[in-house]
Amino acid sequence: QVQLVESGGGLVQPGGSLRLSCALSGSIFSIYAMGWYRQAPGKQRELVAAITSGGNTNYADSVKGRFTISRDNAKNTVYLQMNSLKAEDTAVYYCNAEIRLREYVGRDEYWGQGTQVTVSS
């Protein structure tokens, strides 16, 4: 089975930093994109940042200039460096991957279990 395992969440004060990691394991053919979504209580899930296999990135307007997404292709791992954290960043962060399991088949999406990020003084 394909699995996405997130780590790095926790409690941090406003202005602090956290680094999230998401490691993909399992038998796959290729990865098209990986990214991070978040969902706060009472709010809809939103895309935070994503990176394609070609290295293109996109960010939510609310995190531009503060968050940076990166990848380690050799380890099938994506990272989210979060700086200057605000209370509004508090949410469960979910790793997402769009992959192709086998050659000549379509793409599929997979999700991690989520990691809690709490920004509070």
Side-chain angles (χ1 to χ4, degrees), residues 6 8 19 41 46 49 70 92:
E6 302 113 327
R19 188 193 191 208
E46 64 173 344
S70 60
V92 177

Side-chain angles (χ1 to χ4, degrees), residues 3-26:
Q3 294 185 355
L4 298 175
V5 180
E6 302 113 327
S7 62
L11 174 65
V12 65
Q13 294 187 6
S17 298
L18 285 174
R19 188 193 191 208
L20 305 183
S21 299
C22 174
L24 185 153
S25 63

